[in-house]
Every structure is written in structure tokens, then in C-alpha cells.
Amino acid sequence: MIYGIGIDLTEIDRVEHAWKKNYNFAKRVLTPTELEIFAKLGNHRKSEFIAGRFSAKESFAKAFGTGIGSAVAFQDLEIISTATGKPVFTRYPRATDFQVQISISHTAALVMTEVILEKKEKIANG
């Protein structure tokens, strides 16, 4: 059963300006594992990567029903890509309660993300 859906549209240039002006922005948005991946990318890919993670985390928080803040912070959420490039939430609040579906799409100027939270079915004993 769907618990929540969140979408976000982010300007890549705006996020690029934020992390280039103050690297602490990247440290605030990205987990240590995401920062390791980020550090290995070229500048254009860095901008797409951080904007995509920022947007996806915003989408998650909207689907969760709280927005980014005290209930869900950027560091509570981690997105790692599979070998085929599919983004997957590897860390998120109430992971035992939810499955997460995520989509990240880029144009030259924008990134759009969608997150669907699905309640996991509880199996009754006996």
C-alpha cells in the first residue's frame, strides 16, 4: 500500500553555486559514503550528483510527510547507485516499515525526482 509520494524539481546551477561557494553544503547534504563518490566525479557530474541527491532527499521527506527538518534530515538518507546505475535508498528512517522506489531524471538545467514510499505488509503469526 502506498504511504506517500514526493516529487521535487531542482535547478542544478543553484545547487552547484551553493557547494562551490561553501563546501560545507556538500557535507550537510551528502553522507560520508556519498561524499566519497562525489569526490571522484568531474565538475559537471558533481553538480548533477549533488543536485540529484538533494532533490531525491527532498522528495523522500515530502513522501514521508514531514519535509526536511527534525523528523528527517539529509544525513538520515543515503542513496547509492547499483552497478547498472539505478539509484537506491540504502539508509532511511523506519526502513523496517517501508520500501522505497526512487527515480532521478536530469536535463542540462534541472533535476526532477520522485519517491514512492510503500508500507511493508506485516505477516501475522499463526
Side-chain angles (χ1 to χ4, degrees):
M1 176 169 87
I2 293 178
Y3 175 83
I5 299 172
I7 61 169
D8 188 75
L9 186 64
T10 298
E11 295 174 358
I12 295 171
D13 286 349
R14 183 175 61 92
V15 174
E16 178 181 51
H17 177 73
W19 74 262
K20 285 186 174 180
K21 181 178 177 184
N22 184 353
Y23 193 75
N24 284 332
F25 177 82
K27 289 181 179 179
R28 185 170 62 89
V29 171
L30 302 174
T31 66
T33 302
E34 291 168 330
L35 274 171
E36 287 178 25
I37 297 164
F38 178 72
K40 296 175 185 174
L41 300 172
N43 265 354
H44 181 68
R45 279 293 295 138
K46 278 184 175 171
S47 298
E48 286 182 351
F49 182 87
I50 193 170
R53 288 339 189 239
F54 175 88
S55 181
K57 292 176 182 192
E58 287 280 349
S59 289
F60 181 97
K62 291 172 184 175
F64 200 63
T66 62
I68 291 289
S70 60
V72 179
F74 286 116
Q75 293 297 312
D76 296 330
L77 305 167
E78 184 171 81
I79 305 158
I80 304 299
S81 296
T82 66
T84 60
K86 177 183 177 182
V88 176
F89 273 95
T90 56
R91 183 171 66 212
Y92 54 93
R94 295 181 50 193
T96 57
D97 296 336
F98 298 112
Q99 290 181 319
V100 182
Q101 306 300 324
I102 178 175
S103 180
I104 303 174
S105 296
H106 299 88
T107 68
L110 299 170
V111 60
M112 191 288 263
T113 58
E114 180 175 27
V115 169
I116 299 172
L117 293 182
E118 298 175 288
K119 279 199 144 220
K120 290 182 179 176
E121 297 292 325
K122 302 286 183 192
I123 299 173
N125 291 337

